[in-house]
Each structure stands twice: as C-alpha cells, then as structure tokens.
C-alpha cells in the first residue's frame, strides 16, 4: 500500500502528459505518421483494464457509459482549449464514443492513434499558420479582445473561425513580449523560434507518448490520482520519489504550453528561498554565468526539467509568470542555487511568538511541519532512535515548554502529506490513546488505525494552522485533533485528498500470469491505482470536502483552482460508522468566544485588512477569461494593478507607522508579516486567557513522552 500521501509527486507525470500541444510538433504538414500502436500496447491495455475492474476502489465496470467518459477525457487531453480541431473532426470521432471500452478490453489502440493523427495534422497546420502571421506586425492599437480560456467554447465550424482565433492568439503572444519592452523585431524572433520548436517536437512524439496520454485519460475517468507511467516516466517517477536528484526541489507539470509549478518539495532550494509558489508558470530558464534566458514556452516537460537540473552548487535563473497573472502581465526573474533535497530542511522547526494581550505578552509556540517524514533506512535497521516527525516534534515541545509557552500552533500550511504512521503517532502526542483514522479498502473492509501510546506530550491549548495545500496525512492529523476536541483548526479548507493509492509494477513477474498473460512483462511501466479511502474517527471522509476550519482566514490560494473538489472525477465525500473514541472536551463554546474576539480584532487590524484586500483583488483577476489586445489599454491596466498593490501596502504601512514605498522593486524587496500566523497566535493567546493560568510544563512531567 502506498501511504506516502504525496499528491504533488503522484500528479507530476500524469499531469504533464495531458497537453499534447506542449509536447511537440513536426514540420511537414499532413505527412505520414510513423507512430503506430504496438503489440506491447495491446497487452498493457488489456492488463490495466483488468486491474481497473478488479482493484480500483470503485470497481467500475468498463462499459459503454465509461467509454463515453474516456472519449471526452481523451479529446480534452488532445485539445482541451479547442484551438486545433474543427467541429467536423469531433463529429467524425463520435463513432468511437461508445466503443472505446471494447477497444481497451481487446487491446485495439488503432482508433486512439487515428484520433491523434487528425489532431497532429491540424496542430501542425495551425502552428505553421502562426508562423505565417509573424511576417506582418499586428496593429496593437485596435480595440479587440482575446478569449484565452476556450474550454467551454464551441468547436470552430471552419478554417476561417480557427484563423481568427489564432490571429488573436499570436497577437496576444506578441503583446506579452512587447509589454516587456521588446521591439517588434525581437518579438518576432522569439516567437518564430518558439513556434518552430513546437513544430519540431511533433516529430519527437513516439507511440509510447500517445499511448500513455490515452491511458491517463482513461485512468482519469476513475479518479484524479490513478495514473499510468510508461517505462521512461516510471524511471522519472522513481527519481522524484527518492528526492535524490540535484535541482530546485519543485514538482512541475505542463498546462496549455506553460511549465507550471505544481508543488514545492520540502527541504529543497525552492522551499528554502520562498521565491517560487505553486501555480507559478516558468516561461524562460537561464544558466549560471550566461546572460541569455532560454524561452521554454511550448517545450516538452522533460526538456525543461533537464534545463533546470544541474550540478549541485550552480545557479539557475527562472523567469516566472506568477500564479493568477494574465497573459502579458509582467514576469519576474528569480535565481536559485541547485542542491539536493535535504532531510534536515524537511524537519519540523519551532519558534516562539510574543503576543501582546491586555498589557502583557503571552508566549505562543509554533511548530512548522513541512512534511510527515521518517528515516526509512534507520527504521529498517531496527534503530530505536530513528529520525521522524513525531520524535522531532516531541523534543521541540519540551524545548518550547522550557521557554514558557502557554499555547501551541502546529503549522501544516503547504504540507502535502507523507508517512501515514507519523500522522497517527503525532496525534498521539496530544491524546492519551484511541483511533486516529479509518481506512476502507476495495472490499469495503474498514480498518481502524490507532494510537496505542497513553503518554501525552502536551496538555495546553493547541491550534492547527492549515491552508488549501494541506493534504492527506495533514488532514488526518487536523481532523483527529478537531474530532477529539483536543484543539481547534484555523485557516483555510484543506485539500480534500482522502484516497489511498497502490503502485503496480507492470514489469513484475507473476502479475502478467495473474492477469492471464505471460510473464515476460518487460518494459510495461507502472500503474498507480486508488484502492482505498480515509475516514475520520467521526465517520466522515476527508475526501473531496477536506477539513473545514473552526476559524477561517482569508488566503490567496483559490478554492476554485486548487483542491480535490476542483477535479471532475474526484471520488465523492461520504461517511461510515463512527468509531468509539473518547472526546476530550466540547470546544463549541470556546470556538464561539474565540471567533467573536477574532472578528472584532481583525475588523481594525491593518495587516488583516491588507490581506483581505489583496485576496479580493486576486479573485477579481482570476474571474477574467479574456484580455485586451490594445497595448495602451494593457499598459494602463497593468499600471493600475501595480498602483493598487502599492496603495494597499502603503495604507498598511501608514497604519503601522512605517515609511511608504514608491516602487514595485521596493515592494518585492520589503519584508512583510506572516499575517495568517500572527492572527492564529492571537487566537491562541485569547484561548490562554479564557482558561485558568497554569504551568503546563509541571503537569507534563508525570507522563512525558519524548
């Protein structure tokens, strides 16, 4: 069973293979395609179809209804933004809608490849047309708009409609570069290289690429976390899971020709620098000692990864279009030193915050946990004192209590999960004993996973700080603390990843025989399959819904863009019977009181009002599905957004008695408070004042656990 819970890794390769427009292109329009399905693909197709029906959590029957879903997913994988295929192409494909279930069971991949052939010819023609458009400089002062999000738009009825879509697309690409102070000749040169690179890459697509993309579309009809890895990408998956490569420590994916940051890996250079965020898009890469940045829009993901990876100790520069930015918004350049992901940097860390409260300072301890880790090698050797999240946090609690903290925050923001057992044992630091999580498998058998250690490491007020990127094991811990009444959850609704995956090595001898084939199995790749769901001790699933905070805080992470509920095929929320667990106390009255105090405080707090204003501005930008193609309007809009950002910051600074800033460069260089953490600390300080003041350190001595 794969209990790592690392959604960021599981999604990397699968997501990267769902954008063929970014994979490639070959320069001869309509030339004969040499890629054809192989007998190996037929065998894999039959093999995984049996695994899907037998071992997937839902055990869906691969029938006509699912065939229709597979068809839609594959079409979306080919041309999700509807910029290449014509309505007549899609109508011609309809004959396969209710037959794909039969084809995958038979191992017949020819219809899948036929659909790709049509797509490839259309895409080659479109990119060649884009090159032709570059021969004439567009008029950037005409008032017209470009609809960059066409996912819900109708398919173009004819070539003339597609020509107009692509005319505006090319103009938008050019405008993005012109807004970065490039002249037309330089813009023309950059785009010509970009488009020719896209054309060239179609010739590099092989039959495994096509097959893998289809199978991932197939798997995505079951749920977002089931995926197939070709032999080549199986090795890439192994490298990422080992965290042993030298790079920046980020998981990347392709989305609409852009390489997007999917997740930041704890312990890596990107996490340490804090200059890159999930959903940022990488538009160019520069190497140590070289001034030139290489434009990577339209590149294959693996080629971009190779540019970013490099020798430890060397620098790489990344040009970023920030998350939520519109086409043409100003890009930023960040520099990172390549290094290996370090266990030490993944480890839990602590600090003490002094919270002014009614004339005195209340000490609140903060323990930040980037991931749930365990030293597997030391554990396997039987070492008693192996490194782990629980052991490290227990030591930090002791140190914090020696410093006189009266309340504690467990900061799980951005923690995508990790070792399940560590989430269970960490919960045990705060409860005497009892069930922590339930697991229901494919056979609907429910297993309770308990904390059996009656010792408690900390008795004081506990708040768990979460955001939308808190997932899997983080959600198990937060939910247990909430259900037991041991603490409160503050922040944003969590991710909602409440499923368990198993990894099947399709090359393993014995698996082919079990599925009715021979045992050669060489070069088949691997399959990640969802085979279970997690449930809280209360019986409610963490899947889809996530953990709802007791006190919500605004966040720049959009619930509509991030999280399990944004995935169309995510397994639903449901519930099973509650377990028999001892509720420590009812915190309903405490939460009501803390919520009222929090509401009164933030209404006047300049930092919090700044955060609310920033989130509202970002939400307004996210709602847009089009941009102006008038360069003067775009410059004016960009300057207006910048000025609004500076005005919000200066209003905050004025309220704090700080000097104003005048430029965005000053803004980027300035240090800003962690507003969410500070407010969570204030809530915990309020809680401390609600109860009798006592020395938690004294109470702890009788049953300490380290």
């Amino acid at each position: 069973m794969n209990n790592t819970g690392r959604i960021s890794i599981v999604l990397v390769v699968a997501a990267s293979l769902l954008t063929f427009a970014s994979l490639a292109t070959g320069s001869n329009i309509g030339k004969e395609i040499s890629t054809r399905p192989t007998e190996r693909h037929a065998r894999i197709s039959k093999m995984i179809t049996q695994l899907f029906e037998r071992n997937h959590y839902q055990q869906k029957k691969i029938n006509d209804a699912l065939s229709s879903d597979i068809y839609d997913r594959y079409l979306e994988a080919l041309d999700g933004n509807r910029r290449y295929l014509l309505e007549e192409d899609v109508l011609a494909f309809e004959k396969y809608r209710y037959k794909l279930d039969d084809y995958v069971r038979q191992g017949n991949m020819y219809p899948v490849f036929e659909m790709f052939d049509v797509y490839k010819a259309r895409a080659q023609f479109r990119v060649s047309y884009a090159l032709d458009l570059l021969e004439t400089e567009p008029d950037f002062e005409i008032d017209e708009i470009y609809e960059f999000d066409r996912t819900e738009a109708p398919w173009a009825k004819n070539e003339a409609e597609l020509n107009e879509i692509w005319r505006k697309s090319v103009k938008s690409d050019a405008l993005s570069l012109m807004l970065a102070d490039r002249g037309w000749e330089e813009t023309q040169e950059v785009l010509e290289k970009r488009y020719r690179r896209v054309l060239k890459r179609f010739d590099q697509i092989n039959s495994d690429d096509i097959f893998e993309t289809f199978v991932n579309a197939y798997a995505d009809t079951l749920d977002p976390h089931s995926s197939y890895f070709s032999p080549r990408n199986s090795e890439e998956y192994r490298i990422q899971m080992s965290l042993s490569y030298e790079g920046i420590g980020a998981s990347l994916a392709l989305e609409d020709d852009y390489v997007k940051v999917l997740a930041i890996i704890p312990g890596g250079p990107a996490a340490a620098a804090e200059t890159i965020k999930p959903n940022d898009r990488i538009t160019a890469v520069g190497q140590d000692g070289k001034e030139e940045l290489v434009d990577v829009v339209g590149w294959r993901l693996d080629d971009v990864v190779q540019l970013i990876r490099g020798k430890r100790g060397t620098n790489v520069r990344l040009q970023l279009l920030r998350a939520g930015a519109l086409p043409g918004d100003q890009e930023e350049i960040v520099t990172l030193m390549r290094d290996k992901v370090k266990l030490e940097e993944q480890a839990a860390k602590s600090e003490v915050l002094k919270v002014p409260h009614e004339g005195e300072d209340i000490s609140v301890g903060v323990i930040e946990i980037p991931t749930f880790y365990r030293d597997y090698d030391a554990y396997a050797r039987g070492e008693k004192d192996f490194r782990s999240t629980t052991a490290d946090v227990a030591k930090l609690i002791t140190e914090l209590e020696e410093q006189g903290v009266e309340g504690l925050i467990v900061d799980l923001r951005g923690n995508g999960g990790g070792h399940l057992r560590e989430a269970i044992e960490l919960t045990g630091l705060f409860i005497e004993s009892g069930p922590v999580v339930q697991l229901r498998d494919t056979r609907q058998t429910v297993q309770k996973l308990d904390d059996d250690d009656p010792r408690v490491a900390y008795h004081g007020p506990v708040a768990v700080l979460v955001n939308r990127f808190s997932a899997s094991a983080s959600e198990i811990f937060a939910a247990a603390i909430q259900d037991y009444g041991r603490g409160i959850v503050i922040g944003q609704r969590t991710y909602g990843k409440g499923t368990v995956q198993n990894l099947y090595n399709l090359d393993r001898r014995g698996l082919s025989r079990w599925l009715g084939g021979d045992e050669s199995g060489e070069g088949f790749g691997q399959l990640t399959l969802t085979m279970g769901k997690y449930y809280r001790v209360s019986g409610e699933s963490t899947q889809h819904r996530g953990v709802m905070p007791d006190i919500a805080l605004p966040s720049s992470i959009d619930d509509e863009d991030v999280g399990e509920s944004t995935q169309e095929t995510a397994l639903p929320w449901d519930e099973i019977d509650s377990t028999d667990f001892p509720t420590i106390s009812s915190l309903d009255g405490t939460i009501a009181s803390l919520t009222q105090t929090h509401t009164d405080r933030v209404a006047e707090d300049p930092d919090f009002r700044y955060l609310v204003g920033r989130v509202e501005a970002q939400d307004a930008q996210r709602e847009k599905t089009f941009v102006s193609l008038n360069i003067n309007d775009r410059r004016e809009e960009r300057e207006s957004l910048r000025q609004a950002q500076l005005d919000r910051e200066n209003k905050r600074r004025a309220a704090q008695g700080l000097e104003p800033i005048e430029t965005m460069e000053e803004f980027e260089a300035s240090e800003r408070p962690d507003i969410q953490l500070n407010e969570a600390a204030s809530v915990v300080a309020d809680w401390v004042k609600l109860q009798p003041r006592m020395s938690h350190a004294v109470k702890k001595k009788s049953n300490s656990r380290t």
Side-chain angles (χ1 to χ4, degrees):
M1 181 186 302
N2 174 14
N3 285 327
T4 64
R6 291 199 61 82
I7 58 170
S8 58
I9 297 299
V10 170
L11 292 176
V12 173
V13 180
S16 74
L17 293 168
L18 292 181
T19 311
F20 261 125
S22 303
L23 275 177
T25 322
S27 56
N28 298 321
I29 307 305
K31 83 175 196 176
E32 185 66 25
I33 294 179
S34 60
T35 48
R36 286 291 178 264
T38 66
E39 178 58 30
R40 179 168 54 88
H41 295 143
R43 293 173 61 195
I44 298 172
S45 176
K46 290 185 280 188
M47 187 184 301
I48 64 172
T49 297
Q50 291 186 63
L51 283 169
F52 283 165
E53 289 190 323
R54 296 184 188 186
N55 287 27
H56 189 270
Y57 180 75
Q58 291 188 305
Q59 294 187 312
K60 280 188 176 180
K61 193 70 176 173
I62 311 301
N63 54 21
D64 285 357
L66 195 67
S67 176
S68 180
D69 292 340
I70 297 170
Y71 169 84
D72 288 333
R73 289 286 164 184
Y74 184 47
L75 197 58
E76 181 181 346
L78 293 179
D79 191 11
N81 211 27
R82 304 190 174 191
R83 299 172 66 229
Y84 299 97
L85 295 171
L86 290 168
E87 183 182 62
E88 65 186 59
D89 300 324
V90 178
L91 289 175
F93 293 159
E94 277 290 322
K95 62 179 177 287
Y96 298 135
R97 178 177 288 278
Y98 298 106
K99 294 181 179 179
L100 290 176
D101 58 321
D102 300 320
Y103 294 148
V104 294
R105 203 179 298 280
Q106 297 162 4
N108 179 7
M109 291 292 103
Y110 281 94
V112 169
F113 278 64
E114 179 187 322
M115 290 176 68
F116 175 77
D117 288 356
V118 174
Y119 160 76
K120 176 180 176 179
R122 292 292 188 194
Q124 287 176 313
F125 184 81
R126 282 295 117 212
V127 180
S128 294
Y129 178 72
L131 282 166
D132 292 340
L133 289 171
L134 292 177
E135 294 179 6
T136 305
E137 180 178 359
D139 185 345
F140 292 109
E141 296 189 357
I142 296 176
D143 289 330
E144 57 182 352
I145 62 170
Y146 168 55
E147 185 183 13
F148 57 85
D149 183 355
R150 287 185 43 81
T151 53
E152 301 298 326
W155 297 98
K157 295 185 181 299
N158 50 50
E159 293 286 348
E161 282 190 29
L162 274 184
N163 286 347
E164 181 65 4
I165 291 167
W166 274 81
R167 181 188 69 79
K168 291 183 176 182
S169 175
V170 171
K171 187 175 180 180
S172 178
D173 287 347
L175 185 57
S176 297
L177 297 172
M178 300 283 282
L179 286 168
D181 298 324
R182 288 184 168 100
W184 169 247
E185 288 187 4
E186 185 182 359
T187 294
Q188 187 181 38
E189 181 181 355
V190 170
L191 291 181
E192 183 175 353
K193 288 181 179 178
R194 181 185 296 178
Y195 297 159
R196 289 197 182 281
R197 185 169 59 240
V198 172
L199 278 173
K200 181 180 179 181
R201 293 185 186 282
F202 265 111
D203 284 336
Q204 299 172 348
I205 292 180
N206 59 43
S207 58
D208 275 358
D209 291 331
I210 301 167
F211 178 73
E212 183 172 18
T213 300
F214 170 74
V215 174
N216 275 297
Y218 179 13
D220 195 46
T221 62
L222 303 178
D223 79 286
H225 303 292
S226 294
S227 55
Y228 169 71
F229 303 90
S230 68
R232 175 183 178 181
N233 283 321
S234 295
E235 176 62 15
E236 175 68 17
Y237 176 87
R238 186 196 64 77
I239 291 172
Q240 295 206 45
M241 286 300 289
S242 70
L243 302 181
S244 62
Y245 62 86
E246 295 177 353
I248 63 170
S251 298
L252 308 176
L254 278 180
E255 184 178 278
D256 297 334
D257 294 343
Y258 285 98
V259 173
K260 185 178 76 170
V261 178
L262 195 64
I264 304 298
I265 299 172
E274 298 183 345
T275 53
I276 301 179
K277 305 296 181 185
N279 294 330
D280 286 349
R281 287 157 285 176
I282 300 172
T283 58
V285 179
Q287 302 301 327
D288 205 0
K290 296 182 180 180
E291 290 188 13
E292 182 184 5
L293 289 167
V294 178
D295 182 275
V296 295
V297 178
W299 280 42
R300 288 179 67 109
L301 178 66
D302 50 3
D303 288 340
V304 179
V305 169
Q306 290 306 314
L307 271 186
I308 294 173
R309 286 181 186 164
K311 187 176 180 181
R312 183 178 182 180
T314 60
N315 288 330
V316 61
R317 288 178 297 142
L318 304 178
Q319 181 174 278
L320 302 173
L321 188 61
R322 291 297 187 183
L326 301 177
D329 284 357
Q330 185 168 7
E331 296 160 314
E332 298 177 30
I333 297 175
V334 300
T335 300
L336 296 171
M337 180 176 286
R338 297 178 175 102
D339 203 349
K340 287 189 175 182
V341 176
K342 301 173 182 176
L343 177 61
E344 186 61 37
E345 293 299 324
Q346 294 183 8
K349 304 174 183 65
S350 68
E351 64 174 314
V352 176
L353 298 181
K354 299 289 186 179
V355 183
H357 199 288
E358 298 179 0
E360 63 176 313
D361 284 344
I362 294 177
S363 294
V364 176
V366 180
I367 296 179
E368 178 187 356
I369 305 175
T371 185
F372 287 87
Y373 53 89
R374 173 175 284 194
D375 188 336
Y376 289 96
D377 293 338
Y379 175 76
R381 290 193 298 268
E383 295 181 15
K384 183 178 179 180
D385 297 323
F386 60 87
R387 190 77 182 270
S388 71
T389 303
T390 306
D392 286 350
V393 170
K395 293 174 184 176
L396 292 174
I397 288 174
T398 299
E399 295 170 2
L400 289 171
E401 289 200 312
E402 289 173 353
Q403 296 177 64
V405 300
E406 298 185 75
L408 183 67
I409 296 172
V410 179
D411 188 352
L412 297 181
R413 289 176 297 173
N415 185 324
H419 201 288
L420 173 62
R421 193 66 219 173
E422 287 302 319
I424 295 169
E425 294 186 6
L426 184 70
T427 305
L429 296 181
F430 302 96
I431 65 172
E432 290 187 357
S433 62
V436 174
V437 66
Q438 303 183 82
L439 170 63
R440 184 164 69 176
D441 62 20
T442 309
R443 299 181 300 276
Q444 304 302 299
T445 301
V446 177
Q447 177 186 7
K448 289 190 302 179
L449 303 177
D450 297 347
D451 164 55
D452 298 321
D453 192 334
R455 294 173 296 174
V456 177
Y458 184 72
H459 293 84
V462 177
V464 184
L465 182 58
V466 295
N467 65 9
R468 193 63 163 155
F469 289 114
S470 304
S472 196
S474 291
E475 297 176 283
I476 289 170
F477 173 78
I481 293 296
Q482 195 176 56
D483 287 342
Y484 271 85
R486 178 59 189 88
I488 63 174
V489 177
I490 301 176
Q492 186 181 19
R493 178 164 67 121
T494 61
Y495 192 93
K497 202 276 185 180
T499 57
V500 190
Q501 283 69 46
N502 194 19
L503 186 64
Y504 292 89
N505 180 358
L506 302 182
D507 298 339
R508 181 170 58 84
R509 289 187 175 277
L511 183 58
S512 294
R513 174 188 287 180
W514 178 65
L515 293 170
D518 60 45
E519 290 199 10
S520 59
E522 185 175 355
F524 282 5
Q526 62 189 37
L527 184 70
T528 302
L529 200 61
T530 296
M531 47 70 62
K533 285 178 75 173
Y534 292 124
Y535 293 85
R536 303 166 65 142
V537 293
S538 63
E540 298 180 3
S541 175
T542 57
Q543 169 62 18
H544 203 284
R545 183 179 292 183
V547 178
M548 303 300 292
D550 298 303
I551 297 177
L553 301 179
S555 172
S556 58
I557 306 168
D558 187 6
D559 282 14
E560 300 300 318
D561 290 339
V562 175
E564 191 80 0
S565 60
T566 68
Q567 306 294 322
E568 289 185 24
T569 58
L571 298 188
W573 176 91
D574 63 348
E575 56 186 331
I576 60 176
D577 291 339
S578 172
T579 62
D580 184 14
F581 67 98
T583 303
I584 294 172
S585 62
S586 172
L587 294 178
D588 291 348
T590 299
I591 292 171
S593 177
L594 294 177
T595 300
Q596 185 60 57
T597 307
H598 155 75
T599 302
D600 294 342
R601 177 175 49 251
V602 299
E604 303 299 327
D605 180 57
D607 285 345
F608 202 85
R609 286 155 63 189
Y610 163 81
L611 176 60
V612 171
R614 189 181 72 188
V615 170
E616 289 176 348
Q618 290 173 333
D619 288 345
Q621 283 296 99
R622 290 190 186 103
E623 292 296 318
K624 298 187 68 173
T625 60
F626 61 88
V627 291
S628 170
L629 292 178
N630 183 305
I631 194 167
N632 297 318
D633 290 346
R634 288 287 292 282
R635 283 199 180 106
E636 184 179 334
E637 180 184 16
R638 189 171 69 177
E639 290 307 313
S640 175
L641 291 172
R642 284 179 169 180
Q643 190 58 51
Q645 194 170 10
L646 287 175
D647 290 345
R648 284 193 300 272
E649 172 64 8
N650 283 329
K651 185 176 181 180
R652 183 189 74 82
R653 296 173 74 87
Q656 302 282 17
L658 301 173
E659 291 292 321
I661 57 176
E662 298 181 0
T663 66
M664 287 301 296
E665 288 74 17
E666 288 182 83
F667 175 79
E668 293 297 337
S670 64
E671 290 188 11
R672 290 178 293 281
D674 187 336
I675 299 169
Q676 292 175 327
L677 179 60
N678 290 342
E679 178 54 28
S682 294
V683 171
V684 172
D686 292 338
W687 191 358
V688 169
K689 294 291 287 185
L690 283 177
Q691 57 185 20
R693 306 292 288 276
M694 64 179 180
S695 172
H696 301 303
V698 171
K699 184 176 180 180
K700 176 179 179 293
K701 288 180 181 178
S702 62
N703 60 354
S704 63
R705 157 171 158 161
T706 59

